[in-house]
Amino acid sequence: MELRRAAVLAFDALLVLLILYYSLFSSGSRSQPVTTIGMSEGEDAATSGLAQSRELEGADGTGNSYEDTAGATESGQPVGRRRGGKRAGGLWRRSEAEGKTADPVGWSVGRSSRTYTNTGGETCGASLADYSCPASPRKAVVTLSTGKRPHFAVTGITLATFARRVGADLHVVDTLGHPALAGFNASAQAGRSSHFIKLPMLKHFLAEYDQVLFVDDDVLLSPLMLDVFSQVDCRKVGAVVEASHVQGWHTMHAKAFCEIYDLKRDRKVWKQTCASQAVKRQRIFNSGVLLLSKAHRPLIDEWEREPLRCKILCDQLYMNAMLRRHAVCLDDLGTAFNLPGTQMRKMLTSTAAQREEGTHLQLRDSAIADACVAHLTVLPSKSVSAAYLLKRSLTTRDVLQCAGKGGPVDKAALLGAMQPEDANPSEDEVERLWCAKIKGEGCKLIRMHGGGAEQTEGAGEAATGADGEGGGGGGGVADGSADASGAQFVPAGPSEELPEQELGVIRRAAEAAWDSKTVILLFATGDFVDLAINWAQATRALGLRNFVLVAMDRKLGDILGRFTNAPGLLLPRVALGTTTITKLSVIGERQRFGLRVLEAGFHVLFVDLDALFLRSPEPLLRDGDIIGERIWGRPRNVVKKWGAAICTGFYFLRATAANVAIFRKTHHLIAEKRQRQPKWQASDQWAINNALDQQVVEWVSGTSMKPISDFSTKFYDNSSHVGYTKLTRTKFVVLPHLAVARSCPILKFGAAKPPAAEKVETRKWKLWQHLLQTSHVLHCFPPDSMPCPELKHGEKGCDKSVIMGSAVHIHGEVVFDRRQGLWFMKEGWEQAIAAPSTRDFWAWLEGQYNGLKPGEAPPENA
């Protein structure tokens, strides 16, 4: 009996700890205090925190619209103020609807109103397929702010500004006596939990308006906040998936809402959402920023009939459950539209160890630079934090710049709307508050004027060099042309990480390209020399010379140095002794150097040494800003959302300001994860896919990619999957697997045609011939290339955490190429390169060619 009692107590203690943990650290929407009085129903006169302003090109190159005018409204009256959480001066009055606003960045391009995607069910949207979205919808921006909420004196400023700019009525529900809470007050008498107060309020406003954007009162909108009303199909719910949480967190809460709201009542919903495997794929969206329309009234109309049980994430779990039950589609707005406070604090501080090691993160590359919405969750002293972030967004302009879109912004009016006690937040005070929760000694705030860690460039600016200085000549794109986002691209000149001599190697390669701009970058250490030379041989046979082999250690650098014209260079950071390449850092250094080449104005095609060209890749790269081969493995969180992802064994970046901004974020993501997990093998594949996902990809087809189980998709479908990123505007193309094949048949008889009796092998051989005749690139993953295949990870010293670059993997690649007719070097080439007969690399390479074409078996007597 005592044992049972002890077990129960232990379980209760664990449950309390879990609830406490998620109450403190989850970025989910929190229940609002329901204690105070004071009423604001909204009025009809229109006032605004913004004056009409012309667009000004920012001096920092951001291209954002700012204007330093007097803080006056269109009527000439001062901007309204709010003190102590009460309304004053009419800042919170309703604005008259002004009709549909223009799309500032062209998100609507490629949208489909007929097909839908969702993080939950596979058939979402069917019930609303015939719903007609009004051409000029009535829009409302709504927040709930009851009790003493001093931070709302700051967050309310940009909320009112945004509502005015998009022609929406603003409603601040700041008392239990507000008509929007009549339904709650009635149900409260029946003992309903106050944690669900948001539901009757949403029901009230959806009865009056076509579209309703709800935001928590501790959400700070960027002064450049984009018009989400016009960008989200009214049939979809607009919200942000909690991407910062691991899948286990999502699964735990999905199981909770499946049970609470009894989703098994509908067998189809249960199968797609709550079944043992389906629940592991669910992704929970945050309800602190929520865009709904009249089409979604069924999700809320019967709220009083539901169980409404919860410990944490109360209305959030309800909304997630109802989305699944009613098969409504979710438009994931992306982290930029609900960036958690925990993440912001990490991005704006650094420790002494990070500064000493030079591993503190570049602020310009972080998510906070481009964020449109900051959720002040768990930030200490929200009023100080909100005031600091707002002022910084308007003055230094290195946070909350909404990727340089949106606006216009009347800086003086917004600053003038701040209370005197909020207008000049002390950076010393912010540092004290934020660093109290940061692990590591010597925590400092990355200050607005260079103190603490680093001075950052403005978000959204044109590309700069590694040292932050704009370059003069030397780049591949010297015309300063604008990209699709409208940003001007200014190529960077030589820098410490791309000196003049190495830049000259890049220039010579580009001059040999089909467009005089594209450089193929390959990276290797001396351990990879056989794969590197074989790749060069295959590419030389196609007449291509626009590649650069970047030696990541002196061993390979010395080999290349035996020739006068080798298309290669020693990685500058290795040459300077700044870094030593390890299996954990090799991929991160590859990405870092590629970024420098991109910043210099060259289009960059990253290629792995085992991605052998059968044909020139030029046709694959004609249309698109970011183009990559298709895979179905990792990162799993992106594959679950998109259906597939891009493999960094073959991916292309066009030299645009937008691409530089996105690619800098991959560097930021890698550095950030390496800080948290020092033993993690840096993965640019994980980083580029997540960086693109954070930009929010809208697929032209409106559907995700087909799974790997679709045989036709793998080997016969020749169509790309095309999308556009919402924030930093780029065209994103995922190539068909057939174009760059990662999954290849393994041939029992090698390149030779199998005996007729071997029917299975004959089918595999024919499929191999199909790839040889159709694909542009073969990037086959070889068999027998896993380290210590007979052991488990950790058993007897077996390390499977690092596969790429291991001796076993390299050997497996060479064996596969030789067996399947993808080896083009003569026997004895190793001795020939040790003491080359000529210093002309191209002449030497041609002399080592074995004469075989792709897929040809060597002569039997060879």
Side-chain angles (χ1 to χ4, degrees), residues 97 256 270 679:
W270 180 266
K679 294 185 178 180

Side-chain angles (χ1 to χ4, degrees), residues 482-485 598 603-604 620-628 651-660 662 692 722-725 728-733:
D483 63 15
S485 67
L598 186 70
H603 308 329
V604 177
L620 304 178
L621 312 178
R622 292 174 183 171
D623 186 24
D625 299 311
I626 299 178
I627 304 170
Y651 77 115
F652 171 80
L653 291 159
R654 197 172 302 282
T656 67
N659 275 0
V660 168
I662 290 175
L692 284 165
V722 179
Y724 292 85
T725 55
T728 307
R729 182 73 173 172
T730 60
K731 186 174 184 178
F732 176 37
V733 178

Side-chain angles (χ1 to χ4, degrees), residues 524 528-540 547 549 556 559-560 563 567 609 612 823-826 829-830 833 841 844-845 848:
F528 287 83
V529 65
D530 41 8
L531 292 176
I533 298 301
N534 187 59
W535 187 95
Q537 187 70 275
T539 305
R540 179 206 61 80
F547 64 88
L549 177 59
L556 182 57
I559 294 173
L560 295 175
F563 302 95
L609 297 174
L612 295 171
W823 191 257
F824 308 106
M825 299 300 294
K826 284 182 178 179
W829 72 269
E830 298 94 333
I833 201 170
F841 176 82
W844 176 86
L845 188 63
Q848 298 301 313

